Amino acid sequence: MFQGRNYVYEVYREMSFSKAAKNLFISQPSLSAAVKKAETQIGFPVFDRSSNPIRLTELGKEYIRSIERIMEVEQGFENYVRDMQELKSGRIAIGATNLFASYVLPPLLSRFTDAFPMIHVDLVEAPTAELGEKLFSGTLDLMIDNQVMDDAVYEKTFFCQEHLLLVVPRHFTSNEKLKEYMLTISDVKAGRHLEAHIPSVPLEFFRREPFLLLKGGNDTRIRAEKICRDSGHFFPKIRLELAQQITAYHLSRYGMGISFNGDVLIRHMPDDGSLVFYKLGYPDAVRNVNFFCKRNRYMSRVVSEFLKLI
């Protein structure tokens, strides 16, 4: 029933017979015939060809899910065989959002590839929700993120702790009354915001200033809203809602508004003097950054060696 599944899966990946045929180095009529043969064996169509682009039928969706489970089993066995080859070949797929792909993973990947030059590394950059789906389906081996994920489904390896700070354009008038709370980017890089004697800034001083928040559902947005409530039901004036921390940070640099950003990002930013930083002394301002992998999935030696490195 799963003969020809590679052909079916490639069409599903591209949602196009012509593109899939090109990827598989066969003619489109040959591919169409192979998929039709697979559908005949199943007894139902996998693809609805009446739409443009084509889409999966309800049975087709379940067929693809079954293929992915088979692929995961096969990948597990292939990983086992590669382990027997003493890491002379193999691959690892790691998922990360823009923040972690740009500022956290590069030195780790550099060290890993220096140690294991024959291992192929796939770095997948995408939003957290998409990465979670890929990790669950087995497309990814590891995912780095600061979200909370279901412990029943995923194992985690701690990487670092992240602290959210209030990032404020230096020219905002609210800063004039807050000299005792104010931190520079050099202070953040030196870890002064972690010192117990550094006071947490009262958010009420910023009630007239515009804010740049991430979109609803994002962990940083959820934490920012909790911090505002805990500070005495402070309601920020939202100028823009954004998808990425890095975008909010750079817009703050250009004076667009105040943002909530983690010190993991801030430590990698240049000191151009355009911003000041304030400590947020609330439980929700602290979160862990972890590497996640799916439970009950065979952990290859490649993945194990990478986790040892971190």
Side-chain angles (χ1 to χ4, degrees):
M1 182 168 287
F2 291 100
Q3 293 178 2
R5 68 176 186 269
N6 292 339
Y7 296 119
V8 174
Y9 197 75
E10 190 62 29
V11 174
Y12 156 70
R13 281 190 353 104
E14 295 289 354
M15 282 303 170
S16 165
F17 279 87
S18 60
K19 291 180 180 178
K22 185 177 180 180
N23 294 344
L24 294 166
F25 300 101
I26 62 175
S27 68
Q28 186 172 333
S30 297
L31 177 59
S32 296
V35 172
K36 190 65 178 176
K37 183 178 179 180
E39 290 177 319
T40 300
Q41 291 175 333
I42 299 168
F44 293 92
V46 173
F47 297 103
D48 179 357
R49 296 165 174 80
S50 66
S51 62
N52 187 16
I54 60 172
R55 60 185 178 184
L56 291 170
T57 62
E58 285 303 310
L59 182 137
K61 293 177 183 178
E62 184 58 35
Y63 185 74
I64 292 298
R65 283 193 285 268
S66 298
I67 289 176
E68 289 179 334
R69 288 194 288 269
I70 293 171
M71 291 167 64
E72 185 174 356
V73 172
E74 290 180 338
Q75 185 64 50
F77 182 71
E78 288 176 9
N79 287 337
Y80 177 79
V81 172
R82 290 192 183 103
D83 288 350
M84 302 299 290
Q85 299 173 334
E86 299 181 349
L87 295 182
K88 293 182 180 179
S89 66
R91 66 192 306 119
I92 182 172
I94 304 173
T97 59
N98 176 270
L99 166 61
F100 296 111
S102 299
Y103 300 106
V104 174
L105 284 179
L108 298 177
L109 295 180
S110 177
R111 287 164 53 198
F112 183 75
T113 54
D114 284 346
F116 305 104
M118 303 301 291
I119 301 300
H120 179 77
V121 178
D122 289 325
L123 177 57
V124 179
E125 187 177 341
T128 296
E130 184 179 337
L131 294 173
E133 292 173 1
K134 291 180 181 295
L135 187 63
F136 185 81
S137 70
T139 307
L140 292 177
D141 298 300
L142 292 172
M143 166 185 167
I144 181 174
D145 207 84
N146 50 27
Q147 296 270 40
V148 176
M149 299 184 71
D150 189 348
D151 287 335
V153 180
Y154 303 101
E155 294 183 31
K156 61 188 177 187
T157 300
F158 176 77
F159 178 67
C160 70
Q161 198 170 68
E162 181 182 35
H163 295 77
L164 290 177
L165 295 165
L166 202 66
V167 180
V168 182
R170 183 176 288 277
H171 71 269
F172 277 18
T173 56
S174 51
N175 295 314
E176 296 172 3
K177 301 176 182 179
L178 299 171
K179 302 296 184 183
E180 62 181 300
Y181 302 96
M182 193 180 298
L183 296 166
T184 66
I185 194 168
S186 296
D187 291 329
V188 176
K189 291 182 179 183
R192 286 199 62 229
H193 61 296
L194 305 178
E195 298 173 7
H197 71 275
I198 299 297
S200 174
V201 69
L203 292 183
E204 63 186 42
F205 282 100
F206 305 101
R207 61 184 178 275
R208 298 184 185 279
E209 307 287 16
F211 275 73
L212 310 170
L213 298 186
L214 299 194
K215 293 181 178 179
N218 184 287
D219 186 69
T220 301
R221 171 65 177 268
I222 293 170
R223 289 174 180 270
E225 290 178 340
K226 288 182 179 178
I227 290 169
C228 290
R229 287 198 300 270
D230 291 346
S231 69
H233 297 285
F234 172 76
F235 298 99
K237 293 168 57 179
I238 302 173
R239 171 172 281 179
L240 288 173
E241 293 182 296
L242 306 160
Q244 300 282 346
Q245 266 197 68
I246 185 66
T247 308
Y249 184 88
H250 286 308
L251 288 175
S252 289
R253 282 181 60 217
Y254 283 92
M256 290 288 291
I258 298 170
S259 59
F260 291 83
N261 276 272
D263 54 2
V264 170
L265 169 65
I266 296 167
R267 287 190 180 111
H268 290 87
M269 295 294 100
D271 186 0
D272 62 4
S274 63
L275 297 169
V276 293
F277 305 85
Y278 296 98
K279 180 177 179 178
L280 297 166
Y282 301 90
D284 286 296
V286 183
R287 60 187 173 189
N288 291 335
V289 177
N290 297 293
F291 279 90
F292 296 95
C293 61
K294 190 178 178 184
R295 286 190 182 277
N296 303 320
R297 184 185 180 197
Y298 171 71
M299 182 180 288
S300 70
R301 187 179 165 201
V302 175
V303 175
S304 178
E305 290 295 335
F306 183 85
L307 291 177
K308 286 180 185 177
L309 177 144
I310 68 168

